[in-house]
Amino acid sequence: MSNARNPPLEGVRVVELAGLAPAPFAGLLLADYGASVLRIDRPLPHPHDGRPAQPTADLLIRRKSSVAVDLKSTDGRALLEAILSEVDVLLDPFRPGVLESLSLSPQLLIERNPRLIVARLTGFRRDGPYAVMAGHDINYLALSGILSHLGRSDGPPYPPANILADFAGGGLMCVLGILLALFERTASGKGQVVENNMVDGVAYLGSMIRYARETRFWDRPRGQNLLDGGCPWYDVYQCKDGGYMAVGALEPHFYRRLVQGLELPELDNLALREDRASWPSMREQFRLRFLERTRQEWEKTFVGTDACCTPVLEQRELENTETEQRLPISLKSSPGLSIDEEQSWTSAGLIPGSGGPDLLNQWFGWKIGRDIQITQGGLVKTEVAKL
């Protein structure tokens, strides 16, 4: 018999203003741990009326519902205000000033609902010359100082897709802020504004790099340090079949396991290993040796050893082998919600209006035609007749 309790965020109501990447990721993470998430979409042709419609470009929609609301209309804003008066969290993905321009300033929202947490997620800092500019992950990464450290020594800085700023420094840090505010609310009973920007989020993630610049780990230009591709025993090597192996044999005893597996006894010399002048020739020996066998053969050589040498797996491989996708954190007594096989590798997106009216009924008992109605492609709150 299982003693597992409910997911840790069960009962937390979240409203996510529709966006792309970081805010939807924050909503996804909250939903996976039990929060009930309602996405607010722009009004589109035929939402809520059962006729065919297309999902938006947002793919991070697991466990979410949607309603279409025209926030530029008085009636649409009135509906959102009514919803926000009874929920726990608002996810705001807009640039500074957008909510205020809609007469939805966080201060007013919290006055109406003192327990509300307004999480405001921006790319740039909310002050300074970039505050209201458009930008993307690469721009925030650039201003954080971290992009300057990424890439090979013989090329320009190179961004690792949009993982660092959008998702780690943005969405993930935003969730941390929301959880801190929820925790603080248990003591004060009050909500608050949570401000998160991706420049500061990424800069914080890079704390070790910043401090390590005066140490032997990171005291050289980009691509010439221990952990940024400059070191031959911390790098990626191509195999005979075009696959790749990742090498991370930093400690001396792991390095010895590596050169033993590669059958390169002449490199089993720690003094030689620490001599940077030997690194180019050592890298070339590693490169040529890995090219002698396929990735699968090298995987068989190193699996189960402490050589810190692993295959670089591709997403398609993982999907084809039905590798289980798991939540990032496992709470043993109050686990999050498991990711089923159908949702592990594909996302059909979320059609505006899908599931939202049912969720509003679940939250507040509202029904279309009585409490809410469809007007020009979006929902509005029905006015209660005065007696």
Side-chain angles (χ1 to χ4, degrees):
M1 184 175 179
S2 174
N3 293 319
R5 301 192 290 269
N6 293 333
L9 297 180
E10 185 168 294
V12 175
R13 297 170 176 177
V14 178
V15 170
E16 173 192 319
L17 300 180
L20 290 174
F25 180 69
L28 175 73
L29 192 53
L30 295 170
D32 276 341
Y33 285 92
S36 181
V37 179
L38 177 66
R39 191 179 76 186
I40 306 296
D41 282 299
R42 296 177 180 178
L44 295 171
H46 315 312
H48 303 294
D49 65 4
R51 285 187 279 178
Q54 294 296 316
T56 68
D58 174 22
L59 298 176
L60 303 175
I61 52 83
R62 190 167 54 240
R63 309 183 211 285
K64 297 180 185 178
S65 302
S66 164
V67 291
V69 180
D70 183 4
L71 296 182
K72 294 182 179 180
S73 75
T74 302
D75 290 341
R77 289 195 300 273
L79 172 64
L80 180 60
E81 290 171 1
I83 294 172
L84 294 178
S85 68
E86 300 290 339
V87 302
D88 300 285
V89 178
L90 170 65
L91 270 171
D92 166 25
F94 301 139
R95 295 191 219 178
V98 172
L99 279 188
E100 287 81 356
S101 71
L102 295 170
S103 300
L104 294 168
S105 74
Q107 291 73 22
L108 291 175
L109 297 176
I110 292 175
E111 283 180 14
R112 298 185 183 109
N113 177 5
R115 292 178 58 81
L116 179 65
I117 294 164
V118 181
R120 312 195 77 176
L121 175 55
T122 60
F124 299 116
R125 289 178 170 179
R126 303 185 75 85
D127 55 3
Y130 299 96
V132 296
M133 288 174 50
H136 287 293
D137 180 286
I138 191 171
N139 307 116
Y140 317 136
L141 192 58
L143 289 183
S144 74
I146 301 305
L147 181 57
S148 68
H149 293 283
L150 306 177
R152 297 292 182 178
S153 60
D154 58 352
Y158 195 85
N162 67 328
I163 296 171
L164 283 181
D166 276 355
F167 297 110
L172 190 60
M173 288 291 188
C174 185
V175 169
L176 173 60
I178 291 169
L179 296 180
L180 291 172
L182 285 169
F183 181 75
E184 193 279 336
R185 196 179 70 174
T186 63
S188 69
K190 297 181 181 298
Q192 60 182 297
V193 177
V194 174
E195 291 185 350
N196 161 223
N197 73 78
M198 295 173 229
V199 173
D200 289 338
V202 174
Y204 195 89
L205 290 169
S207 295
M208 192 203 80
I209 297 177
R210 187 165 62 252
Y211 297 139
R213 290 175 303 145
E214 304 302 322
T215 74
R216 69 184 183 89
F217 291 103
W218 228 298
D219 61 350
R220 294 174 182 251
R222 178 181 63 256
Q224 299 178 31
N225 298 285
L226 196 64
L227 300 176
D228 64 357
C231 171
W233 62 85
Y234 198 90
D235 209 342
V236 177
Y237 293 92
Q238 188 173 10
C239 304
K240 183 178 180 179
D241 59 347
Y244 293 90
M245 294 292 289
V247 172
L250 290 174
E251 291 80 1
H253 50 294
F254 297 155
Y255 172 81
R256 281 191 160 137
R257 296 286 189 273
L258 173 69
V259 295
Q260 289 168 7
L262 291 173
E263 300 175 12
L264 293 172
E266 66 274 22
L267 296 183
D268 192 359
N269 181 324
L270 296 183
L272 179 69
R273 184 184 102 122
E274 297 304 318
D275 180 9
R276 285 179 177 262
S278 72
W279 284 9
S281 62
M282 185 182 296
R283 185 188 302 279
E284 182 65 6
Q285 286 179 272
F286 284 171
R287 186 185 74 82
L288 293 174
R289 180 51 55 91
F290 275 108
L291 284 171
E292 292 178 4
R293 301 180 190 173
T294 66
R295 195 196 74 183
Q296 186 177 27
E297 290 171 331
W298 284 121
E299 184 177 359
K300 289 180 179 178
T301 296
F302 288 111
V303 68
T305 74
D306 281 345
C308 301
C309 186
T310 54
V312 177
L313 301 179
E314 297 182 1
Q315 296 283 354
R316 188 65 65 187
E317 291 180 81
L318 294 169
E319 181 179 5
N320 290 341
T321 56
E322 298 182 352
T323 301
E324 181 184 10
Q325 292 295 307
R326 300 175 180 175
L327 294 183
I329 298 170
S330 175
L331 283 73
K332 295 304 181 183
S333 297
S334 56
L337 303 168
S338 61
I339 304 172
D340 63 37
E341 184 177 344
E342 183 180 348
Q343 296 176 314
S344 291
W345 297 104
T346 60
S347 172
L350 184 64
I351 297 172
S354 296
D358 290 336
L359 186 60
L360 292 177
N361 179 259
Q362 178 185 324
W363 282 0
F364 313 130
W366 292 355
K367 293 183 178 181
I368 289 182
R370 186 188 69 188
D371 307 282
I372 49 179
Q373 60 188 20
I374 304 167
T375 300
Q376 296 181 339
L379 290 184
V380 298
K381 190 79 173 70
T382 301
E383 291 188 13
V384 178
K386 296 181 180 179
L387 298 178

